[in-house]
Amino acid sequence: MKTDYSHKATNEEIAARFDNDVERFSNLETGQLSTIDAPISMELCTEAAKYVNPQAKELLDIGCGAGNYSLTMLSKIPDLNCTLNDLSMPMLERAKERVSEWTNGKITILHNDMRNLDLPDNHFDIVLAAATFHHLRDDADWELVFTKIYKALKPGGSLWISDLIKHNSVPITNLFEHKYRGYLESLGGPEYAQKVFDYVEYEDTPRSLNYQLSLLHKVGFSTTEILHKNSNFAAFGGIK
């Protein structure tokens, strides 16, 4: 049975929200407060990429936002050629501005839905995708994007994901939703927590960690690794 996603936010609505939130996402410390362990996940994803691909030259940052992951990657491997992708042009402009100060490499911006990206085969050493795949909808979307990334990576290249996830068990889903609500309330009280839950419900369709690891293998990745998991968030990846 095909799931009806008509009640979910459109790309235009999602882009508009991020267009108006560039300043917050330009701050390494506060840009992802609603994401549990965001600094840990960013550090682990970029460090894993450095260890797997120490001679990397080509980076693709999908859903780059204001460029925090690319900047962190450049602190570990300097002067990468950086291809930046996002739905929001103001985010892309800020990311390009910030990243250009930290690399002598070429910067390319792709203002497009990740599902529509036309990527060269066997081109990238590292692909980063932070807090973006949860906007994909049905199985076809997920397989399309994971396949595009696999084909775009060089042999031995790696994809590192940091994202909101769901769980397969209803009781475990309830457990971690309870814990996440408590975390959000500790940041901004019940109203803030409900605001985040409401926009997650409207905008996002995350998949489980198990689903995504299985899909990575299905599209061809030889190795998958879990770097970190806490509540409804995980950092993980695959090597081609």
Side-chain angles (χ1 to χ4, degrees), residues 197-239:
F197 268 78
D198 287 346
Y199 78 65
V200 167
E201 173 61 27
Y202 186 51
E203 288 188 3
D204 305 338
T205 42
R207 295 297 178 98
S208 71
L209 182 54
N210 290 336
Y211 173 89
Q212 294 181 69
L213 293 172
S214 176
L215 184 56
L216 287 171
H217 281 294
K218 179 181 179 181
V219 303
F221 284 87
S222 63
T223 304
T224 58
E225 297 287 354
I226 301 170
L227 305 178
H228 183 69
K229 181 184 180 299
N230 188 353
S231 187
N232 289 348
F233 296 90
F236 55 101
I239 302 169

Side-chain angles (χ1 to χ4, degrees), residues 57-60 79-83 103-107 124:
K57 300 297 181 186
E58 299 289 340
L59 168 68
L60 170 62
D79 293 331
L80 291 164
N81 294 321
C82 298
T83 299
T103 184
N104 292 316
K106 179 182 178 182
I107 300 174
F124 297 102

